[in-house]
Amino acid sequence: MKHPIQEMMEQRRQGKKCGIPSYCTANPLVLEIILKRAKLLNTPVLIEATANQVNQYGGYTGMLPKDFYNMIQKMAQEIGIPESLIILGGDHLGPLTWQNLAEKEAMEKSAELVYQYARAGFTKIHLDTSMKVADDPEGLLSTEIIARRGAELYKAAMKGYEELKAEKPDVMRPVFIIGSEVPIPGGAQEAEDSLAVTSPAAFQDTVAVYRRIFEESGVGEGWKDVVAVVVQPGVEFGDDQVFLYEHEAAANLCAALESYPEVCFEGHSTDYQSAECLKNMVQDGIAILKVGPALTYGLREALFALSFMEKELVPDEKRANFIETLEQVMLAQPGNWQKHYHGDDRQLALARKYSFSDRARYYIGQPEVTEAIDRLFANLKEYPIPMNMLHQYMPVTYAKVRDGIIPLDPKELALDGVTNFMLDYEYAVSV
């Protein structure tokens, strides 16, 4: 069975400017609407987990790779999506969470991580060894070291795949992504004035060195499994800024891709780009568009709107007070936002609510917060939202309710906050 991303690459070589969104999230509500959209459109859907979300120690979700795989498959069965339409990926698989360790131990843990992802059934693997570990020398890592470590992880992934194939002969052979964007995953931590686009020479060097190292490591045939290279095409976001894609700024980089028809570019941090910017990226060869924080931002935004309406409709003593509950939980457990937000108390409070980097996504799954969400939905069923109020707080969603596209149900209204971002990606990758 050919991998859907390889099928996409064949279509691109035939001149079709197609692509695929890569949805990077572990939030159950967001995953639900992603899968429902896939069923509606009857197209392959790519869902990714990151090394810090899901790993052999549970990550911040508490899930092993096999747990995440099983959760997605269970949701897909309940929604009615065939397994053949689901692509599961692992993002930034490497020493990301073990940079404080020496190379030997960090790479042993990284190899186990990649092995478990492939063994569980993930078929899109981002080999990311671009980050330094404790005993690396001063200065930037050489492409040679990055590629050598990447080849080690490729072997670990293929070991997991071969073991899985012995049990499930029809399992898809995984495809691989190499390279890494700057800055670190999840958005810029400081305000910036400009972004440096990856140079054509850096891209060409990455490909050349990886090819050579794969050959020297005895896995030369593995280059055929590499479908994309992560680059920085000039897109990024921070707390309150978004760098939009500029075709001219990335023109030289994208022109260099023409000499490598076997691969496309994968763009990270594409969150909050306009639909036209995303479309231009796909046209220019950035055919895999990763999005993460924008999805939970859309959910959070919709939940805030529902909370504002709850204050208008529901008696004080019955309110869920979602906004206040989320703030209390974030203050009680500051570990996932404290290093990322900056400023005085007022600026921090605003960032916790509204930052594009959406560190609130780490808290929406907490028991107190999910309980508040459930109560919010229940309250707004008992005290239905009038259409005129819906127009005030959710005008885009209002039009869909008015036209019969979605029902006037609080949960569906919340999920539509995610859909509004997904629609831009669906438009961008369509031929």
Side-chain angles (χ1 to χ4, degrees):
M1 181 188 301
K2 185 164 287 188
H3 199 285
I5 295 179
Q6 290 177 323
E7 291 178 350
M8 178 196 79
M9 290 302 301
E10 285 187 2
Q11 291 181 37
R12 290 191 64 87
R13 286 189 284 270
Q14 294 166 11
K16 297 179 181 177
K17 302 295 187 181
C18 53
I20 188 169
S22 172
Y23 299 120
C24 192
T25 183
N27 182 279
L29 284 171
V30 177
L31 289 169
E32 179 180 337
I33 191 59
I34 288 171
L35 292 170
K36 284 181 175 177
R37 294 292 300 174
K39 180 181 180 181
L40 176 68
L41 300 172
N42 193 35
T43 56
V45 60
L46 171 57
I47 297 170
E48 300 210 39
T50 62
N52 57 349
Q53 279 176 332
V54 175
N55 58 44
Q56 65 265 44
Y57 302 105
Y60 71 74
T61 63
M63 285 187 282
L64 307 177
K66 65 180 180 180
D67 298 327
F68 188 87
Y69 179 93
N70 290 337
M71 178 185 72
I72 298 294
Q73 296 301 334
K74 182 175 183 293
M75 292 179 71
Q77 289 173 3
E78 292 170 352
I79 291 169
I81 305 172
E83 188 175 349
S84 60
L85 285 183
I86 298 174
I87 310 164
L88 290 183
D91 193 27
H92 295 290
L93 301 191
L96 177 65
T97 57
W98 301 295
Q99 294 177 69
N100 61 322
L101 301 177
E103 179 184 26
K104 183 177 185 298
E105 188 177 0
M107 286 303 296
E108 286 174 353
K109 291 181 183 296
S110 300
E112 178 63 22
L113 171 73
V114 172
Y115 164 80
Q116 286 198 20
Y117 266 81
R119 185 68 175 82
F122 289 72
T123 64
K124 177 185 175 289
I125 306 294
H126 176 203
L127 303 174
D128 188 2
T129 51
S130 61
M131 60 287 297
K132 295 178 68 173
V133 293
D135 56 351
D136 279 330
E138 292 291 325
L140 295 174
L141 279 184
S142 69
T143 311
E144 186 93 9
I145 292 174
I146 292 170
R148 175 175 57 78
R149 292 173 180 173
E152 287 182 42
L153 297 188
Y154 173 83
K155 293 177 182 178
M158 293 308 292
K159 178 176 183 287
Y161 161 69
E162 293 295 345
E163 290 182 12
L164 179 61
K165 187 180 178 183
E167 299 173 2
K168 298 173 62 175
D170 59 343
V171 67
M172 285 188 294
R173 183 181 179 92
V175 297
F176 292 83
I177 316 298
I178 61 171
S180 183
E181 92 286 22
V182 178
I184 61 171
Q189 293 185 28
E190 303 284 355
E192 302 180 52
D193 295 322
S194 62
L195 282 179
V197 174
T198 300
S199 70
F203 158 61
Q204 292 160 345
D205 179 60
T206 294
V207 172
V209 174
Y210 257 94
R211 276 177 170 169
R212 174 172 58 79
I213 295 295
F214 268 42
E215 286 287 349
E216 293 174 0
S217 302
V219 290
E221 285 296 304
W223 182 254
K224 295 178 182 177
D225 298 323
V226 177
V227 294
V229 180
V230 176
V231 293
Q232 173 51 277
V235 300
E236 187 53 75
F237 60 91
D239 279 346
D240 63 353
Q241 64 179 167
V242 178
F243 289 97
L244 294 177
Y245 178 68
E246 296 181 12
H247 166 78
E248 294 77 12
N252 291 336
L253 172 63
C254 294
L257 189 61
E258 295 175 7
S259 300
Y260 303 90
E262 71 273 26
V263 296
C264 64
F265 288 143
E266 177 170 287
H268 289 206
S269 300
T270 69
D271 307 67
Y272 312 108
Q273 296 289 309
S274 71
E276 288 303 325
C277 283
L278 293 170
K279 187 76 167 178
N280 290 337
M281 291 173 73
V282 173
Q283 296 284 319
D284 289 347
I286 307 160
I288 303 175
L289 300 173
K290 295 189 70 68
V291 54
L295 302 172
T296 42
Y297 181 95
L299 176 65
R300 194 275 314 151
E301 191 174 47
L303 289 169
F304 270 35
L306 292 174
S307 294
F308 294 140
M309 289 186 278
E310 181 191 46
K311 286 177 170 58
E312 297 277 11
L313 296 169
V314 179
D316 289 5
E317 67 276 8
K318 297 187 70 172
R319 290 178 194 161
N321 295 317
F322 165 76
I323 297 173
E324 294 79 4
T325 301
L326 178 63
E327 172 73 349
Q328 290 166 9
V329 172
M330 292 183 74
L331 286 172
Q333 304 172 40
N336 285 313
W337 61 264
Q338 207 165 38
K339 294 179 181 179
H340 298 264
Y341 296 154
H342 309 280
D344 58 27
D345 288 347
R346 180 177 176 276
Q347 290 169 317
L348 290 173
L350 289 173
R352 285 193 297 272
K353 287 183 176 178
Y354 303 115
S355 171
F356 282 138
S357 64
D358 189 46
R359 306 303 294 183
R361 70 186 185 274
Y362 293 89
Y363 301 88
I364 288 183
Q366 295 278 4
E368 304 99 305
V369 182
T370 56
E371 183 180 336
I373 293 172
D374 291 341
R375 187 174 176 185
L376 176 63
F377 292 162
N379 282 345
L380 292 176
K381 283 186 176 181
E382 183 178 353
Y383 298 86
I385 300 168
M387 287 294 285
N388 54 5
M389 188 181 293
L390 181 64
H391 191 288
Q392 172 69 39
Y393 288 99
M394 305 179 80
V396 175
T397 299
Y398 161 85
K400 298 177 189 177
V401 176
R402 178 199 63 200
D403 297 341
I405 297 171
I406 63 173
L408 184 58
D409 174 85
K411 181 180 177 182
E412 293 298 325
L413 301 179
L415 295 181
D416 194 57
V418 183
T419 301
N420 289 332
F421 281 100
M422 293 179 66
L423 290 172
D424 291 340
Y425 287 87
E426 292 167 8
Y427 164 77
V429 301
S430 62
V431 179

